[in-house]
Amino acid sequence: MKTNEYMEQTEQYVLHTYNRFPLVIDHGEGVHLYDTDGKAYLDFAAGIAVYALGYSNDDYKKAVKEQVDKVIHVSNLFYNVPMGSAAEKLAKVSGMDKVFFTNSGTESIEGAIKVARKYAYLKDGSNDHEIIAMNHSFHGRSLGALSVTGNTHYQDPFKPLIGGIKFADFNDLESVKAQITDKTCAIIMETVQGEGGIYPATKEFLQGVRDLCDEHDILLILDEIQCGMGRTGKLFAWQDYGVQPDVMTCAKALGCGVPVGAFVLNKKTAEHSLVPGDHGTTYGGNPLACAAVNAVFECYEKQHVVEHVAETAPYLEKKLDELVEKYDCLAARRGKGFMQGLVVTGRPVGEVINRAIENGLLVISAGSDVLRMVPPLVITKDDIDEMIEKLEKALQ
Ligand SMILES: *Cc1c(COP(=O)(O)O)cnc(C)c1O
């Protein structure tokens, strides 16, 4: 089939909920994707922060293929071989206690919300608990996750959402304090806001929220779906802040392409929340997903992925700062590690992205005016130079 035939077929039969860029991806190799016309794209989007290891990593592919040959799916009514080790790895690297595997980010948020409500319910037996979420946050599209997503454009057509959600301003501790009542059971936020425009939490804010949670026995839920798995130069972004969440959500790079998410609980929360009958999933944590998780952690260790991000990120930041200096249409850079945003002014960010794609560079947007870069975590300085060259062409 020809490129336009794939596009026409998709538009005819797939519900139109995305305005897709006019290219059809055929395969990937390293940090490049190739379309059906054979054109190469340097990928600084990585399937939206998913493909941390780059494309066609041999160790990863081998592990996933071996699991395909053994068994892809086993229900949660039975034990399976890779699940325990995948959970052990995730628990050990986070210093947390128990893992529940899901199929996506939004499902891990649903689980985290249920954990928070159950924790509070066990304390006082009441059903009127509240959760504080942040304006400009993004936690997913299912109704619970949407309810804590601080974006009225995403929410309005789907109301009524779940009740008891209050919103505060990110990086404004007083606004969080103002929303706390004796019904508050959790505060949920991204450690680095992604979709909302690439805003890292300040140290004072995250520490302040942690202190508030300790004071009032409120659970701190940190959404690490985008900023986690090494993207900021620590395995989890909160590890740079000296605070620990009670509940953490993961997805995206956790499976590096195989759909898998997780919510991870500390000991206190694990011991006082979900029990048999409270929560379940058919696919969640199946052998294919857990084999992928195991392979991801093994590749991270073997290739020193997180150390590489920490070492290389200053170079990316320096190069982007130079662009901000040079081009009037770039107002600022924000971000941490390999999660970076450039604020575009005077022209639509979509126009810059389209030009970048024409020049063989995949980048995406965040918020209304931010050009977002969430590349594979294995990019080198040469890849960064190639990105800058292509982005400059798009800006000129
Ligand atoms: C992508 C994302 C989600 C939702 O994950 P899905 O797998 O798309 O459901 C939730 N939170 C954050 C921070 C995300 O970036």
Side-chain angles (χ1 to χ4, degrees), residues 104-107 109 138-141 190 223 225-226 251-252:
S104 65
T106 202
E107 284 170 79
I109 299 290
F138 183 81
H139 298 292
R141 302 295 198 146
E190 296 147 272
D223 181 346
I225 291 168
Q226 188 164 161
K252 293 202 162 94

Side-chain angles (χ1 to χ4, degrees), residues 118 122 270-279:
K118 181 77 193 287
L122 287 175
E271 283 172 0
H272 301 280
S273 60
L274 304 180
V275 294
D278 278 340
H279 200 53

Side-chain angles (χ1 to χ4, degrees), residues 295-315:
V296 167
F297 280 117
E298 278 156 23
C299 291
Y300 268 48
E301 208 170 295
K302 184 171 161 191
Q303 295 178 230
H304 306 288
V305 167
V306 182
E307 296 82 348
H308 171 76
V309 175
E311 265 167 39
T312 317
Y315 185 75

Side-chain angles (χ1 to χ4, degrees), residues 324-340:
V324 172
E325 280 287 300
K326 189 166 163 189
Y327 292 93
D328 287 341
C329 64
L330 298 180
R333 174 190 66 79
R334 286 195 295 264
K336 250 174 130 56
F338 284 174
M339 183 170 177
Q340 295 288 338

Side-chain angles (χ1 to χ4, degrees), residues 166-227:
K166 295 180 157 189
F167 284 92
D169 289 331
F170 193 63
N171 281 337
D172 179 348
L173 193 60
E174 290 308 314
S175 82
V176 177
K177 278 185 190 159
Q179 299 297 337
I180 289 183
T181 71
D182 56 359
K183 298 293 178 192
T184 309
C185 68
I187 299 175
I188 182 167
M189 61 187 205
E190 296 147 272
T191 318
V192 181
Q193 285 193 333
E195 183 92 8
I198 314 291
Y199 290 95
T202 62
K203 265 207 158 84
E204 305 72 51
F205 180 66
L206 192 50
Q207 186 64 61
V209 170
R210 178 71 268 179
D211 292 343
L212 281 176
C213 288
D214 290 340
E215 222 173 285
H216 300 273
D217 194 19
I218 294 168
L219 298 184
L220 175 59
I221 303 170
L222 289 182
D223 181 346
E224 290 265 335
I225 291 168
Q226 188 164 161
C227 62

